[in-house]
Amino acid sequence: MASRPVHFIWMLDCSGSMGVNGKIGELNFAIREAIPEMQQAAQSNPAASLLVRAITFASGASWHVSDPTPVDQFSWEDVHIYGGTDMGAAFKLAAGALQTPPMPQRALPPVLALASDGQPTDDWRAGLRAIDSTPWGKRAVRVAVAIGDDADKSMLKEFLGNPELEPLQAKNPRQLAAAIRWMSTAVVKDASTPKVDDGSRPTTPIDVPSMTKGEDDIW
């Protein structure tokens, strides 16, 4: 049988606060280091074909990687800080990619992976409604990581759209690396496993790692 595509979209906060204590550099490092494990996770399931993209948001939002790229060809170019926290603009960009077309009807549920360290500075709820209004947005597997103590965790929980789920909390580089690794592997494995698809988003949470405090808490 031909493999079915799984679209994985990073949505990454590049606001000015991500420059504090080197958070943006640690985010770049964590994603770059997670790619080989992401590739291995995809290779373990030949029934699915993993395609990766990335959106950055700060003052506005833009595609950092615009083309759905096969994970075995995917490499990471560093993102940089450039202003506010226009998360709603990022959601609207993602919503455009979750229409059919361009999403094929025979795809598996996409993965929306959000990372932020602050409070949205635009109408994020309008952006979230745009995602929810698309067939694939409703079915998407959603994961989020709150970077540091200032991230809007209640907003991230609302993005997840499931009362059983909580955003991951990363208070230091080690925890951020662990969160990104999990988002890139366990979530991919779950999303790329063909299931009976009734058009709804999963209601049973994936096993989420325990992000306990460490001695190097710095954010």
Side-chain angles (χ1 to χ4, degrees):
M1 294 178 61
S3 61
R4 296 172 64 188
V6 176
H7 289 257
F8 186 106
I9 301 176
W10 287 111
M11 293 184 285
L12 306 174
D13 187 344
C14 291
S15 59
S17 59
M18 285 291 291
V20 177
N21 292 325
K23 284 183 283 189
I24 196 71
E26 295 295 343
L27 178 62
N28 281 313
F29 178 79
I31 293 177
R32 192 182 305 111
E33 290 297 298
I35 289 172
E37 295 183 46
M38 194 178 199
Q39 292 168 338
Q40 291 174 10
Q43 289 169 2
S44 67
N45 191 348
S49 175
L50 182 61
L51 303 169
V52 186
R53 279 178 282 182
I55 293 170
T56 61
F57 59 92
S59 296
S62 61
W63 285 102
H64 181 64
V65 179
S66 58
D67 294 329
T69 305
V71 69
D72 60 349
Q73 301 172 24
F74 187 76
S75 60
W76 187 247
E77 292 186 11
D78 285 356
V79 297
H80 305 281
I81 58 173
Y82 61 101
T85 313
D86 290 347
M87 191 180 292
F91 289 168
K92 289 179 180 178
L93 268 186
L98 297 171
Q99 302 282 352
T100 302
M103 281 277 285
Q105 291 184 347
R106 62 181 298 274
L108 292 167
V111 178
L112 302 179
L114 175 62
S116 178
D117 80 328
Q119 311 282 329
T121 51
D122 65 349
D123 188 354
W124 65 269
R125 283 194 170 89
L128 188 56
R129 287 194 298 270
I131 288 178
D132 289 338
S133 70
T134 68
W136 287 110
K138 292 177 182 177
R139 300 180 190 182
V141 178
R142 303 183 191 183
V143 287
V145 55
I147 303 173
D149 285 327
D150 294 329
D152 189 341
K153 289 181 280 294
S154 63
M155 175 269 135
L156 295 177
K157 186 174 176 65
E158 195 166 336
F159 162 77
L160 294 176
N162 184 335
E164 296 184 63
L165 298 180
E166 296 286 344
L168 299 176
Q169 176 80 57
K171 292 177 176 278
N172 55 56
R174 188 187 69 249
Q175 291 181 357
L176 180 59
I180 295 298
R181 187 181 307 112
W182 178 81
M183 293 164 79
S184 301
T185 54
V187 177
V188 165
K189 289 177 182 177
D190 182 81
S192 63
T193 301
K195 306 175 183 68
V196 175
D197 189 356
D198 62 359
S200 63
R201 194 157 69 248
T203 56
T204 302
I206 305 165
D207 288 337
V208 179
S210 175
M211 305 296 289
T212 56
K213 285 189 175 184
E215 294 179 356
D216 55 345
D217 288 344
I218 61 169
W219 291 334

